């Protein structure tokens, strides 16, 4: 599989000088982020990571080895023509982190910044049910709890049958991840959550600071796990402000409100 198959949106924003490579939540495809290009500043291109088993790669089986998946995406990222940063939500936050680690470990060009949302830091135990032990109706109840799955998909038997294998596979990787000690990242982290997110507390989010030698900034927003889904503009404005600014040099991880930064 050649590198372009791992990304979607690479032709958007022709004058962009920076790419924000986005890793979606469990079961999602890279196309979930393409609409962001319509509201992003002209200098920023939004690129979605396209995992097997969904959208234009729906005929492929979902990946079952998380480390191998991260290494493969890292190799594809290393071939991107210009500078880039990462954004990952939920399972995508874990995958973005592991991909950044692979890039650093191999000496490849690393992202300028790692932005994560809606997931406890990877070194913490994840309080998540065993998806393999859930019947379909129990699994659907779990999806309803996080309120991020398109209701039209949940109501369409054919769409649901196509969707469930990918999201089950991703959640299996997410819940089964066992953290191992590795060198702290040399890049700054921005960690974000909705204040009412049932999957990630403020303390669990702040723990991302242990994974980087550079400063970590922690942002909280009104909302739940998919706090940005009703309107992605405030989040995208905050991400653009982070990426446009020089990397911070001070230590610490203060809780910051997007409103305080003028990005909402």
């Amino acid at each position: 599989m050649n590198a372009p198959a791992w990304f979607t949106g690479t032709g958007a924003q022709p004058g962009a000088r920076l790419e924000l490579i986005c890793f979606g939540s469990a079961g999602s495809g890279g196309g979930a982020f393409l609409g962001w290009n319509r509201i992003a500043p002209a200098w920023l291109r939004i690129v979605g990571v396209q995992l097997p088993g969904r959208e234009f790669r729906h005929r492929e089986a979902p990946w079952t080895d998380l480390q191998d998946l991260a290494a493969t995406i890292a190799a594809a990222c290393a071939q991107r023509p210009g500078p880039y940063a990462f954004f990952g939500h939920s399972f995508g936050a874990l995958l973005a982190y592991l991909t950044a680690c692979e890039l650093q470990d191999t000496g490849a060009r690393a992202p300028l910044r790692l932005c994560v949302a809606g997931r406890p830091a990877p070194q913490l135990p994840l309080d998540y049910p065993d998806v393999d032990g859930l019947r379909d109706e129990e699994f659907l109840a779990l999806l309803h709890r996080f309120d991020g799955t398109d209701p039209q998909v949940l109501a369409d038997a054919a769409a649901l049958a196509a969707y469930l294998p990918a999201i089950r596979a991703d959640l299996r990787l997410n819940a089964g991840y066992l953290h191992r000690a590795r060198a702290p990242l040399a890049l700054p982290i921005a960690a974000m959550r909705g204040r009412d997110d049932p999957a990630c507390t403020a303390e669990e989010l702040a723990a991302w600071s242990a994974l980087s030698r550079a400063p970590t900034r922690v942002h909280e927003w009104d909302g739940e796990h998919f706090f940005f889904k009703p309107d992605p503009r405030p989040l995208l404005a905050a991400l653009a402000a982070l990426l446009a600014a020089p990397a911070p040099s001070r230590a610490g991880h203060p809780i910051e409100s997007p409103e305080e930064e003028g990005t909402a």
Side-chain angles (χ1 to χ4, degrees):
M1 184 70 61
N2 58 4
W6 286 97
F7 305 110
T8 186
T10 55
Q13 304 276 73
R17 63 177 186 269
L18 176 68
E19 288 186 342
L20 180 61
I21 298 178
C22 297
F23 298 70
S25 57
S28 66
F33 297 101
L34 295 189
W36 290 14
N37 279 303
R38 294 193 295 270
I39 54 177
W43 54 266
L44 182 64
R45 178 183 300 116
I46 309 300
V47 173
V49 173
Q50 191 61 54
L51 300 183
R54 62 217 77 191
E55 295 180 357
F56 65 79
R57 301 184 68 178
H58 67 277
R59 296 185 184 277
E60 302 174 51
W63 217 276
T64 59
D65 186 315
L66 184 58
Q67 296 292 345
D68 188 41
L69 177 60
T72 303
I73 297 173
C77 288
Q79 297 180 40
R80 299 303 303 149
Y84 56 84
F86 285 170
F87 170 75
H89 175 245
S90 198
F91 166 67
L94 173 63
L95 185 54
Y97 162 71
L98 293 175
T99 302
C101 288
E102 289 290 335
L103 287 161
Q104 178 169 283
D105 290 350
T106 59
R109 179 164 47 90
L112 300 180
R113 186 183 291 268
L114 172 63
C115 304
V116 295
R119 193 191 191 282
Q123 74 273 22
L124 301 180
L126 192 64
D127 181 15
Y128 211 82
D130 176 11
V131 297
D132 288 328
L134 296 179
R135 299 189 302 272
D136 279 353
E137 59 269 24
E138 295 172 324
F139 188 68
L140 291 176
L142 177 66
L143 299 184
H144 278 293
R145 175 189 170 202
F146 292 103
D147 196 29
T149 303
D150 188 338
Q152 292 183 331
V153 172
L154 295 177
D156 185 321
L160 193 59
Y163 174 67
L164 284 180
I167 191 169
R168 277 190 181 271
D170 290 354
L171 289 177
R172 188 179 299 116
L173 292 178
N174 194 36
Y177 172 71
L178 296 176
H179 189 70
R180 64 179 177 87
R182 47 200 317 170
L185 293 171
L187 52 90
I189 295 176
M192 307 174 182
R193 68 182 285 269
R195 292 186 180 92
D196 298 317
D197 189 343
C200 182
T201 67
E203 293 76 15
E204 291 170 332
L205 190 75
W208 279 93
S209 63
L211 302 179
S212 175
R213 299 197 305 271
T216 296
R217 302 176 71 173
V218 178
H219 304 251
E220 292 191 324
W221 306 73
D222 290 334
E224 300 186 357
H225 191 58
F226 288 88
F227 62 91
F228 56 87
K229 194 169 183 181
D231 183 3
R233 289 174 295 181
L235 171 62
L236 186 55
L239 292 170
L242 285 167
L243 297 173
S249 58
R250 59 183 176 86
H253 49 274
I255 296 285
E256 297 177 359
S257 164
E259 291 82 2
E260 291 171 358
E261 295 186 318
T263 56

